[in-house]
Amino acid sequence: MPPMLVFHGDADTTVPQRQSLALRDKLLAPGNSVEFVNVPGRSHNFGGDLPAWRAQAKTIIQRLPVRQKLLQGERK
């Protein structure tokens, strides 16, 4: 499986966070690479609820290939 990045608000009432954590655990078990980012106090639409997280999520996403050693150097 390719590396996976999961964002989930811990106040999400649409999809309980435990479901995303279970997915992460199932993917990690056979050795897949999964990064889970908890978004404290946010709902299913955390990017719309909290604009600062939209920018922070973008930065985390853009740096994923470097963290996963798919690209070298700092991504701008």
Side-chain angles (χ1 to χ4, degrees), residues 2 4 10 12 14-15 21 32 37 47 49 56 59 64:
M4 182 177 272
D10 64 8
D12 187 343
T14 303
V15 177
L21 290 169
N32 295 308
V37 179
D49 294 347
Q56 189 171 351
T59 299
L64 179 68

Side-chain angles (χ1 to χ4, degrees), residues 3-29:
M4 182 177 272
L5 177 60
V6 178
F7 291 89
H8 204 118
D10 64 8
D12 187 343
T13 58
T14 303
V15 177
Q17 192 179 63
R18 71 183 184 294
Q19 289 183 0
S20 289
L21 290 169
L23 171 66
R24 176 204 60 193
D25 294 346
K26 292 281 187 185
L27 290 168
L28 285 173

Side-chain angles (χ1 to χ4, degrees), residues 3-5 33 35 59-71 75:
M4 182 177 272
L5 177 60
S33 176
E35 291 184 33
T59 299
I60 292 168
I61 292 166
Q62 288 176 331
R63 293 184 180 156
L64 179 68
V66 173
R67 288 192 310 277
Q68 294 296 322
K69 298 179 176 53
L70 300 171
L71 293 177
R75 216 166 128 96

